[in-house]
Amino acid sequence: YCVSAFRETFWQIPKLWYEFQKSALAAFEDYKTYTVGGCQIYMEDAKWFIIQLPSGRKLRYYKPRVMLGEYGPQLEYWSYRGFYKTLYGGMEVENVVQACSRDILCDGMVRSSHIADPVIHVHDEVAFESARDVKHDLEDVLNTSPTWLPDVPLKIEVFKSDVYSKSPVRLRGVRRRDT
């Protein structure tokens, strides 16, 4: 029930899965380029299936082939682990979302490096180091969309801390133990 309710409420997401799936199969068959969700989908040659992200970076899938899956034809690719893995619309969209998130993070790190030094990043977080208070400067830069994805809405939270933490809320009420 929950899956059906989600898909009915957010029908654009399954529609995007289907568009990626359809375009991937078509690109595999006719070697043409298809555009879906700001991405270019094509075969680079017989060995590489490509999804080019809005940033220009390419997701590469080696030795693709079409196999009959539970819901019809679907792509498979040769994984670095030495076996074929299924690649379907939902998985393609998941990979694109994760890759675009990484590209947005890296773009923000590069664009803000003149303000403060990025010292570590973990998944969707960056820790910067600076001798002065740069919170507002970082917010201005990091909340600006990349040139290659100008319409993406960004809302970056920046906070100042003397030590790395996931969020300033976690530090409330924590007392240092004197030893």
Side-chain angles (χ1 to χ4, degrees), residues 1 26 29-30 32 67 72 76 101 106 109 114 123 147 149 153:
Y1 169 77
E29 294 296 328
D30 64 17
K32 292 181 182 177
M67 299 297 288
E76 292 184 341
S101 297
C106 290
M109 288 171 59
H114 70 283
H123 301 293
T147 56
L149 202 59

Side-chain angles (χ1 to χ4, degrees), residues 56-173:
R57 190 162 63 99
K58 296 176 182 179
L59 302 181
R60 299 173 172 271
Y61 301 92
Y62 184 59
K63 290 172 60 174
R65 67 182 186 187
V66 174
M67 299 297 288
L68 189 57
E70 185 177 347
Y71 302 104
Q74 61 190 30
L75 280 182
E76 292 184 341
Y77 68 97
W78 188 254
S79 78
Y80 66 91
R81 294 184 177 168
F83 55 87
Y84 273 95
K85 291 183 75 172
T86 302
L87 186 64
Y88 51 92
M91 180 65 68
E92 293 166 27
V93 171
E94 179 182 345
N95 292 348
V96 165
V97 168
Q98 291 295 324
C100 284
S101 297
R102 177 260 181 210
D103 290 350
I104 290 168
L105 177 77
C106 290
D107 180 79
M109 288 171 59
V110 169
R111 287 187 298 111
S112 59
S113 63
H114 70 283
I115 298 170
D117 297 322
V119 291
I120 186 174
H121 67 89
V122 180
H123 301 293
D124 61 348
E125 297 180 337
V126 181
F128 290 91
E129 189 172 67
S130 177
R132 58 189 181 86
D133 185 3
V134 294
K135 180 181 184 296
H136 296 296
D137 294 334
L138 282 174
E139 283 176 336
D140 289 344
V141 172
L142 295 174
N143 281 314
T144 302
S145 300
T147 56
W148 43 265
L149 202 59
D151 296 328
V152 67
L154 296 177
K155 179 60 180 131
I156 308 300
E157 297 175 11
V158 177
F159 67 92
K160 183 180 175 183
S161 176
D162 291 331
V163 297
Y164 173 77
S165 68
K166 296 294 284 178
S167 135
V169 175
R170 284 196 175 175
L171 296 179
R172 288 187 188 151

